[in-house]
Amino acid sequence: MTRNIIIDTDPGQDDAVAILLALSSPEVNVLGITAVAGNVPLALTQKNARIVCELAGRPDTLVFAGCDAPLNRPLVTAEHVHGKTGLDGPQLAAPTMPLQDQHAVDWIIETLRAAPANSVTLCPLGPLTNIATAITRAPDIKSAIEEIVLMGGGFFEGGNITPTAEFNIYVDPDAADIVFTSGLPLTVMPLDVTHKALTTKPRIDAFRAMGTEVGHMTAEWTDFFERFDMEKYGSEGAPLHDPCVIAYLIRPDLFTGRHINVEIETKSELTLGMTVADWWRVTDRAPNCTFMGDIDADGFFALLAERLARLG
Ligand code: BDR
Ligand code: CA
């Protein structure tokens, strides 16, 4: 059965690959893409989302710009990982497809209000500002949400922007707290999973060997952020975080995790944005999400290669 999804994103090379995976997969129907400030400011993330849709041959995709700053804090960006544009690596032409006029949050609310119960899955790939704003402003939309599957957090792997916080949660911990306490069905792809989805040389070569523009761009993007991550982690490749979210919708069997309680640290200066995961179930706090812990990385990259090859 095809799942209707909304991708909320801050492209980002790995966001870009996630969008390509979604647009090449019949198991998901992308109702629209909502951009949020994160890896780079909003003016660039909305533009990058349109670049990726055009690359996928889908200029008909609805792209909206949302919140340009976290709920209660100044924006923290990650040009040190993704480059000045957010999509550094290959040469990119400016997009010609339009940005929709409506604010992303208004569109999310309108779309969910018009949707049948439990019929739309939200796929946040960046800070949770747009999603938290929508469910706070219009709590009635919750009934239309089948599930939220997001990339964020980390427990055994610690953090990637501070020792204890992962970037997406750290940028807007207040928004993350709203989402994690929303009572909505929640599946989380933390660093514990994505740090196992590494872009090794043979995996990047497989993208390049497609001989298509999408294959070339994907290889160039992953090459670009690999430089930074390999130096940082001393690993054999860089984690391809965000496509894990879309891969889960297509092949949930590639992932394993636990249904546990996860709370967001919103106050401590030292551990702000930490996802405090009760992995060992040592508290009586009620489970609020499925927190993934492992991935079949070969299966994941095989899926990516097979799907991206479908695009031109
Ligand atoms: C997350 O932060 C961003 O840099 C990536 O796009 C991903 O969503 C990983 O921490
Ligand atoms: Ca992202």
Side-chain angles (χ1 to χ4, degrees):
M1 206 183 77
T2 305
R3 277 174 89 155
N4 288 322
I5 68 170
I6 293 173
I7 301 178
D8 187 69
T9 175
D10 63 338
Q13 292 88 348
D14 61 320
D15 302 71
V17 179
I19 294 169
L20 292 175
L21 178 60
L23 292 178
S24 59
S25 296
E27 296 86 350
V28 296
N29 173 35
V30 182
L31 299 177
I33 297 181
T34 52
V36 68
N39 285 323
V40 286
L42 182 69
L44 289 170
T45 59
Q46 57 87 351
K47 177 179 166 193
N48 291 346
R50 289 182 292 135
I51 287 174
V52 179
C53 292
E54 284 187 357
L55 174 64
R58 292 291 305 279
D60 55 312
T61 309
L62 301 177
V63 176
F64 301 83
C67 301
D68 63 1
L71 297 182
N72 306 318
R73 301 164 201 272
L75 177 65
V76 176
T77 52
E79 284 88 355
H80 59 291
V81 183
H82 300 274
K84 216 172 159 27
T85 65
L87 286 184
D88 276 20
Q91 279 295 109
L92 299 168
T96 56
M97 65 179 272
L99 176 69
Q100 301 297 312
D101 289 336
Q102 199 175 10
H103 192 284
V105 170
D106 294 333
W107 176 76
I108 290 171
I109 292 172
E110 186 183 291
T111 303
L112 292 178
R113 280 189 173 151
N118 301 321
S119 67
V120 179
T121 295
L122 304 183
C123 302
L125 310 177
L128 289 157
T129 322
N130 285 342
I131 306 301
T133 304
I135 61 181
T136 304
R137 199 184 291 168
D140 57 292
I141 64 175
K142 285 184 181 179
S143 60
I145 299 173
E146 182 183 358
E147 186 180 3
I148 298 179
V149 184
L150 67 87
M151 190 281 136
F155 191 64
F156 295 102
E157 283 289 300
N160 61 357
I161 185 81
T162 75
T164 54
E166 179 280 329
F167 179 79
N168 290 340
I169 306 294
Y170 178 78
V171 171
D172 201 341
D174 310 295
D177 184 44
I178 290 170
V179 170
F180 277 73
T181 57
S182 66
L184 288 162
L186 191 58
T187 297
V188 181
M189 292 292 164
L191 297 179
D192 306 319
V193 168
T194 65
H195 280 184
K196 293 173 187 144
L198 297 176
T199 57
T200 58
K201 184 161 186 319
R203 288 168 178 166
I204 297 184
D205 287 347
F207 295 136
R208 198 165 271 119
M210 285 173 195
T212 60
E213 203 191 352
V214 165
H216 167 76
M217 297 290 239
T218 304
E220 295 287 301
W221 279 328
T222 44
D223 260 349
F224 179 85
F225 72 78
E226 186 165 79
R227 278 182 217 118
F228 166 83
D229 278 323
M230 284 173 75
E231 202 175 301
K232 180 172 169 190
Y233 299 113
S235 55
E236 52 166 342
L240 200 51
H241 307 280
D242 294 337
C244 291
V245 165
I246 307 298
Y248 172 75
L249 300 178
I250 303 167
R251 288 278 311 277
D253 59 300
L254 294 174
F255 301 88
T256 52
R258 285 182 172 217
H259 192 56
I260 58 167
N261 177 273
V262 175
E263 303 210 353
I264 310 295
E265 176 56 63
T266 57
K267 293 188 181 72
S268 160
E269 256 179 57
L270 188 62
T271 60
L272 184 70
M274 182 177 181
T275 42
V276 181
D278 189 4
W279 184 263
W280 302 115
R281 302 189 179 113
V282 293
T283 73
D284 55 8
R285 294 197 285 262
N288 59 344
C289 68
T290 300
F291 197 76
M292 293 301 179
D294 212 350
I295 177 174
D296 169 356
D298 285 334
F300 168 71
F301 277 95
L303 174 71
L304 265 180
E306 188 254 313
R307 293 307 167 90
L308 298 198
R310 297 180 184 185
L311 299 169

